Amino acid sequence: MGRCILKATRDDDLYLEWSSIVDACTLVGTRAEVLASGRHREDALDRADRTGTSDRVALLGCWDDNHLGVGTTEHRQQEGPLLLDRADLAAFARHLADGDSRQAEMLLMPDPERWDEAG
């Protein structure tokens, strides 16, 4: 997949570019800012408006997803695989947009299923 666009909430003009390569956010902005970056077309944002994600295959981050796996963060405080509740995506994005990655990371939690599989 590479990169897709996630819409933070149905009602906010707030989008994240999500990389499946690093399982992390690589861009945060309004619709106009994401389009101005030149990395995504309008139809990708339209799809994200409808479904929560521009991803057509795995539907990563769709409205019905409970969590997103997060692999890379700037200030890694926790070990192992981490999850972000889909409901916290807007707060996560706002913290990142404000340059406060420590606050964003506080929204992450360990993935209990991955720990069970490893143990």
Side-chain angles (χ1 to χ4, degrees):
M1 174 182 70
R3 299 179 304 204
C4 69
I5 292 294
L6 305 178
K7 187 165 185 188
T9 70
R10 293 176 195 267
D11 299 325
D12 289 335
D13 182 21
L14 184 61
Y15 299 82
L16 300 87
E17 177 185 75
W18 198 266
S19 169
S20 65
I21 296 168
V22 293
D23 286 331
C25 176
T26 51
L27 174 71
V28 176
T30 64
R31 182 182 191 89
E33 291 167 338
V34 171
L35 288 171
S37 76
R39 292 162 37 174
H40 298 278
R41 297 186 335 217
E42 195 157 351
D43 64 319
L45 279 86
D46 290 343
R47 212 169 22 261
D49 288 340
R50 285 190 310 276
T51 66
T53 182
S54 66
D55 182 10
R56 295 180 190 165
V57 179
L59 297 177
L60 175 80
C62 70
W63 297 129
D64 294 334
D65 271 358
N66 292 324
H67 304 96
L68 289 166
V70 180
T72 304
T73 59
E74 186 176 347
H75 301 287
R76 187 76 187 223
Q77 300 294 316
Q78 303 179 54
E79 293 295 322
L82 301 174
L83 293 176
L84 173 66
D85 276 339
R86 180 66 165 88
D88 290 332
L89 188 58
F92 184 78
R94 286 188 184 97
H95 289 310
L96 292 178
D98 291 342
D100 194 351
S101 57
R102 287 187 195 269
Q103 277 299 118
E105 194 166 295
M106 290 180 70
L107 296 169
L108 303 177
M109 60 188 166
D111 181 349
E113 289 182 23
R114 293 238 181 121
W115 283 112
D116 289 345
E117 289 173 10

